[in-house]
Amino acid sequence: MINKERLENLSQEVWKGAIKLRGKFKAKDYPSVILPMIMIRRIESVLEEKREQFRVEILAKTPNLDSESLNKRIKIKEQNEPFYNKSNWTLKGILDESSSQVETNFRDYINSYSSNIDDVIDKFNYRYWVTEMVKAKRLSSIIRLVAEEDFSPKRLSNIEMGYVYEHLLQLFSQDDAKDTGEHFTPREIIRIMVDLMEIDFNPETATKAISIYDPACGTGGMLSIAKEHIVDKATTDQGLKNAEDLVLLNGQELLPQNYALCKADMILKGEAHINITHGNSLIPDIESIEDDGDQHAGGLFDYLISNPPFGVDWSDYKKDVERLKTSRYAWGMSPSNDGALLFLLSMIEKMKPKEQGGSKIAILFNGSPLSNGDATQGESEIRRHILQNDLLDTIVMLPDQMFYNTGIYTYIWLLNNNKPDTKKDHVLIINARSQSEKEPKSFGNKRNRIIESHRNWIHNQFENWGKPLLVESPEKDMEHSKLFHTTDFAFHKVEVVFWQEDENGKQMWINEDFDVKLSNANAKKRFELYGDYEMLIDIESPFVENECISIQFKYDGKKPMETLVAEYLKKKVNELKQDTLKDIKKWFEQQSKSISYYHRHYIVDNEYIPFDRTQEDKEAYINAFLAKEIDYEIIRCEEYDQLGYEILPNKYFYKYQEPTPSDVLIKEFWELEEDAEKLLNEIRDL
């Protein structure tokens, strides 16, 4: 179990050293200065263990070997490892040398790493920050901060390193914080996601590789735990070897620091088959785009898992995203201030077809993708296609206060393009809001935790719904799990026009300003809505001071409005009788005037009607529903082109609670009043 107090203490120790940067660096620069140094020390800690191992092996064979020859042999063996450093430097050794040579020796040290580690250092842009640390005279103190600290994977797992990293980021940015929606995913949530994917891989008998992919892999926690879940099933050395060799990890990360941390950690753990790339998973990777795009485009994976950033804004690269509008995002595009569903579409594109065994997806969302967007809009259209293609398997409602940086409620979506017949056309929603307990010690905003018993409860709910009984009798929903047909989330959106009535039931007419330019097109639009109407036009007379030219006529849509106005003015105004209609139209546009129109008081409203798959006559069903809901005369109604789709878990599990009776509330109030009075009397007596 993760010891959060130990991790928090470690973070605080690093933070104490970091505050020495104040005055030399801005708060937003602290992560760029310190986190790479921690990772370099983490890499060095692994190499030190390997070097000690090599030393023992070499001396066992040649005990009388001199020190210089021993070190040379160690270096030769080291360079056969997946990563290495050609130099003889360590961070502590650099500090032990002359203070005037710290920069030179440190640069020699980081430049001597193997190419895979150099890529990590490069993504941190750390050579630039070394220059800045030298200018600020802080390079030695930052090296000293970590030089003898044990950040090795033996002491800190990937997930524990992630907690330290997240805690430090919060401390670093507390004076310069901007919530970007990027939240480190707690281990227990990842475990649930992995459990529910039910990865079909037995390490003891496996002969075929499986692939796991995360398009927003951050520091790699999800990929690591997915593989750890499989490795834990191995009971023999061959099983362990199969798990290591046949589980292929793939991921992409946009933020250079996260990418560097992820790749470094995968290298440190000796992952033999990793494909972690840097770039933007939402855009194509083509030469005409400056930024790195989706490096995994065209790839197909067995299992896909992710926690994309909540509410990620993609407006900065909107043009690049829209290049995929007719392919990857053909189902719809969410607004540019929330790209969560675009990540899901990117994952769906990478699912293996059913003929190849299909794929499963586990993705973590906040509440927005469930219901944002109206019928025919991008988000609703994405949900429509997902449900009409029967991809959605299950949604799990998680407790709040599970994340370090936010207390919001979150939801696991499980998708499967090869659902068994017992799950066909159905979706299970599990309400696991109560499945948590308080953390012994809060960790940022993370005040709740999910332990094994809660995880087992969720998995049991998930396992039960695949049984034929539930599909045959969905009305027998369990208290915390409800089964839905995919069309239960659908609704008709209908634009309705009805005639408003007064308190006596008389249909109303209303006089309103004509608040747009009086053009033929605008007049026609209002005629199409209200039918014929009366026009009232008052013009300040340019011919007689303080007089007004008034015209009134009925508009029935037969003649152009501008022609009608010109004809009435020509008849009524002597000064215009000799002018052509064309000249009068120009004259009218230049005059100061007020325009209003008297029309039927029609109300235009949108009605949302639940879809009922049992209704054969859709039109009759909609008309009957509207007749029941609207008491006035319906002039016309028109349904939108597509059904809307929304998922409302809170509504499905809502339970009405009677409010506390007023007499009880009054009694409680007076009891509090008495308590307050007693307390005041006690204070006076002191």
Side-chain angles (χ1 to χ4, degrees):
M1 184 175 288
I2 293 173
N3 185 333
K4 294 187 178 68
E5 186 171 1
R6 175 175 68 88
L7 299 180
E8 198 166 82
N9 289 339
L10 177 58
S11 303
Q12 289 291 349
E13 285 301 310
V14 176
W15 170 244
K16 287 176 186 176
I19 58 177
K20 296 176 183 176
L21 296 174
R22 283 179 177 166
K24 299 292 184 179
F25 292 93
K26 293 179 181 178
K28 66 182 180 65
D29 296 331
Y30 293 177
S32 301
V33 172
I34 291 178
L35 293 179
M37 192 69 81
I38 292 173
M39 188 51 63
I40 288 170
R41 174 56 188 156
R42 186 166 167 83
I43 293 166
E44 183 181 85
S45 297
V46 175
L47 288 177
E48 285 177 342
E49 291 174 6
K50 288 182 179 292
R51 289 166 190 160
E52 182 57 33
Q53 180 186 332
F54 297 152
R55 184 185 306 278
V56 171
E57 290 173 0
I58 293 168
L59 289 177
K61 294 178 182 178
T62 52
N64 298 321
L65 198 64
D66 63 87
S67 178
E68 185 177 348
S69 299
L70 176 61
N71 288 334
K72 281 183 181 179
R73 289 197 187 183
I74 289 172
K75 280 295 171 186
I76 291 170
K77 286 181 72 71
E78 182 181 324
Q79 290 178 47
N80 292 322
E81 293 296 305
F83 60 95
Y84 55 85
N85 189 301
K86 292 179 182 178
S87 77
N88 291 315
W89 292 114
T90 63
L91 293 177
K92 185 176 182 303
I94 290 169
L95 293 176
D96 290 341
E97 289 293 314
S98 169
S99 59
S100 63
Q101 293 298 306
V102 169
E103 179 189 2
T104 301
N105 295 339
F106 184 70
R107 288 190 185 278
D108 179 43
Y109 170 71
I110 61 175
N111 290 337
S112 299
Y113 271 108
S114 52
S115 60
N116 50 359
I117 301 299
D118 186 66
D119 178 49
V120 171
I121 293 169
D122 189 50
K123 285 298 185 290
F124 277 126
N125 194 23
Y126 208 47
R127 290 176 178 85
Y128 162 79
W129 287 106
V130 170
T131 301
E132 295 302 302
M133 283 186 276
V134 171
K135 287 179 184 176
K137 299 182 179 179
R138 288 293 182 273
L139 179 58
S140 294
S141 61
I142 298 303
I143 294 174
R144 188 171 293 107
L145 188 64
V146 302
E148 297 188 57
E149 189 65 62
D150 183 5
F151 288 111
S152 70
K154 284 187 176 179
R155 184 187 178 212
L156 293 170
S157 68
N158 172 277
I159 214 75
E160 289 175 317
M161 195 68 203
Y163 272 116
V164 172
Y165 173 60
E166 184 83 359
H167 190 203
L168 285 170
L169 280 179
Q170 190 200 42
L171 291 170
F172 291 155
S173 61
Q174 58 191 0
D175 297 325
D176 195 59
K178 289 183 180 178
D179 184 9
T180 60
E182 293 144 9
H183 304 291
F184 177 76
T185 315
R187 183 187 185 94
E188 61 261 46
I189 289 180
I190 303 175
R191 285 292 301 274
I192 294 169
M193 295 170 74
V194 173
D195 285 349
L196 297 182
M197 280 202 296
E198 297 184 325
I199 296 174
D200 184 15
F201 184 88
N202 184 341
E204 299 302 328
T205 59
T207 57
K208 183 182 175 183
I210 63 165
S211 54
I212 305 174
Y213 169 71
D214 183 348
C217 63
T219 57
M222 287 202 166
L223 293 172
S224 294
I225 290 179
K227 185 157 186 177
E228 178 186 297
H229 176 80
I230 296 169
V231 170
D232 286 346
K233 294 180 181 178
T235 57
T236 65
D237 290 343
Q238 183 59 45
L240 284 171
K241 187 176 187 305
N242 288 341
E244 290 297 336
D245 293 345
L246 298 178
V247 179
L248 313 180
L249 303 183
N250 305 268
Q252 183 152 318
E253 173 57 32
L254 176 61
L255 298 179
Q257 280 191 347
N258 284 356
Y259 162 77
L261 287 164
C262 176
K263 187 168 182 181
D265 229 68
M266 295 289 183
I267 293 168
L268 291 175
K269 289 190 297 185
E271 288 289 350
H273 304 285
I274 57 167
N275 183 17
I276 307 299
T277 57
H278 174 252
N280 188 337
S281 297
L282 300 182
I283 65 175
D285 188 46
I286 53 179
E287 287 185 9
S288 57
I289 296 178
E290 184 178 343
D291 296 328
D292 290 334
D294 185 357
Q295 309 288 304
H296 300 271
L300 299 175
F301 305 96
D302 299 294
Y303 300 93
L304 303 94
I305 184 169
S306 192
N307 172 20
F310 301 153
V312 64
D313 190 315
W314 53 275
S315 56
D316 287 347
Y317 41 90
K318 186 175 181 179
K319 287 183 179 179
D320 298 332
V321 170
E322 289 177 343
R323 291 171 186 255
L324 300 172
K325 197 170 185 177
T326 58
S327 53
R328 177 187 296 179
Y329 305 129
W331 285 1
M333 297 182 72
S334 54
S336 57
N337 63 355
D338 188 356
L341 283 169
L342 298 187
F343 278 99
L344 180 54
L345 290 178
S346 297
M347 297 168 80
I348 290 173
E349 184 187 50
K350 295 175 175 63
M351 297 178 87
K352 289 185 174 179
K354 187 175 181 178
E355 301 73 42
Q356 296 179 27
S359 299
K360 292 180 180 179
I361 291 175
I363 189 166
L364 188 70
F365 282 147
N366 62 10
S368 298
L370 291 166
S371 57
N372 276 12
D374 207 344
T376 74
Q377 293 180 348
E379 292 144 307
S380 177
E381 281 295 278
I382 293 168
R383 289 189 293 270
R384 179 174 72 84
H385 282 284
I386 288 171
L387 287 160
Q388 288 183 352
N389 284 279
D390 198 20
L391 293 179
L392 187 59
D393 183 297
T394 301
I395 290 175
V396 182
M397 304 162 62
L398 295 174
D400 64 347
Q401 301 181 64
M402 288 298 303
F403 283 80
Y404 183 82
N405 271 348
T406 179
I408 63 173
Y409 286 110
T410 52
Y411 304 80
I412 297 171
W413 290 34
L414 296 167
L415 286 79
N416 184 353
N417 64 353
N418 192 12
K419 291 165 72 170
D421 290 341
T422 53
K423 294 186 174 186
K424 199 166 183 62
D425 295 326
H426 285 80
V427 176
L428 180 72
I429 299 183
I430 301 171
N431 182 6
R433 289 274 168 82
S434 62
Q435 296 303 306
S436 67
E437 65 179 29
K438 289 297 177 185
E439 288 276 11
K441 179 178 173 61
S442 295
F443 203 57
N445 286 321
K446 190 179 185 330
R447 299 182 181 90
N448 292 328
R449 67 178 181 181
I450 295 172
I451 60 174
E452 187 175 3
S453 60
H454 302 132
R455 200 167 66 245
N456 291 338
W457 181 92
I458 293 170
H459 196 263
N460 287 338
Q461 299 288 315
F462 177 72
E463 283 288 293
N464 287 339
W465 99 263
K467 297 174 182 177
L469 174 65
L470 274 175
V471 175
E472 291 168 8
S473 308
E475 69 278 2
K476 294 183 180 179
D477 291 334
M478 294 170 284
E479 182 183 358
H480 298 288
S481 299
K482 293 185 182 294
L483 193 66
F484 298 86
H485 193 277
T486 52
T487 57
D488 291 341
F489 306 111
F491 61 87
H492 304 275
K493 182 180 179 182
V494 181
E495 185 180 273
V496 183
V497 179
F498 61 88
W499 198 337
Q500 181 71 48
E501 298 175 1
D502 63 19
E503 64 272 15
N504 299 315
K506 185 178 179 181
Q507 292 175 327
M508 298 172 64
W509 287 67
I510 188 173
N511 190 66
E512 286 186 302
D513 289 338
F514 203 95
D515 54 2
V516 293
K517 182 182 177 182
L518 186 62
S519 65
N520 296 330
N522 288 332
K524 194 74 173 175
K525 282 181 184 177
R526 279 154 179 74
F527 172 76
E528 288 170 355
L529 174 59
Y530 300 115
D532 55 10
Y533 52 85
E534 291 282 335
M535 289 298 304
L536 299 98
I537 303 175
D538 291 325
I539 307 168
E540 289 184 17
S541 175
F543 310 117
V544 181
E545 190 174 352
N546 296 325
E547 280 202 13
C548 184
I549 301 169
S550 297
I551 57 172
Q552 183 173 342
F553 58 90
K554 178 182 278 191
Y555 176 71
D556 59 8
K558 293 178 181 177
K559 265 190 180 181
M561 174 64 80
E562 294 168 17
T563 301
L564 272 174
V565 171
E567 287 177 349
Y568 274 92
L569 288 171
K570 188 176 179 71
K571 287 179 185 177
K572 182 163 186 176
V573 182
N574 291 328
E575 289 85 352
L576 299 176
K577 287 183 184 293
Q578 303 304 316
D579 292 349
T580 65
L581 292 179
K582 184 178 180 181
D583 290 336
I584 294 173
K585 289 176 186 179
K586 288 183 180 178
W587 176 88
F588 176 73
E589 282 187 12
Q590 297 166 359
Q591 305 311 305
S592 176
K593 53 193 172 288
S594 66
I595 306 173
S596 62
Y597 67 123
Y598 184 66
H599 61 83
R600 296 168 182 83
H601 192 177
Y602 287 170
I603 301 295
V604 181
D605 195 16
N606 288 319
E607 290 290 326
Y608 296 87
I609 304 172
F611 178 80
D612 187 344
R613 64 182 181 278
T614 66
Q615 297 292 330
E616 294 182 5
D617 188 340
K618 181 182 75 170
E619 187 174 343
Y621 166 66
I622 289 175
N623 289 335
F625 184 93
L626 294 175
K628 190 192 302 183
E629 293 293 315
I630 299 173
D631 295 331
Y632 308 118
E633 179 187 351
I634 295 174
I635 306 303
R636 60 182 170 274
C637 62
E638 184 178 353
E639 185 184 5
Y640 278 62
D641 292 340
Q642 293 290 352
L643 290 170
Y645 277 80
E646 63 181 358
I647 304 170
L648 305 170
N650 292 329
K651 175 183 175 182
Y652 309 145
F653 290 95
Y654 173 74
K655 287 184 178 179
Y656 175 75
Q657 290 184 332
E658 287 279 354
T660 306
S662 57
D663 54 340
V664 175
L665 289 174
I666 291 170
K667 183 181 177 183
E668 290 176 355
F669 172 79
W670 287 117
E671 287 174 353
L672 289 170
E673 183 79 9
E674 289 173 8
D675 290 343
E677 190 172 344
K678 287 178 183 176
L679 184 60
L680 286 170
N681 289 333
E682 289 173 6
I683 293 171
R684 289 192 193 101
D685 294 340
L686 291 175

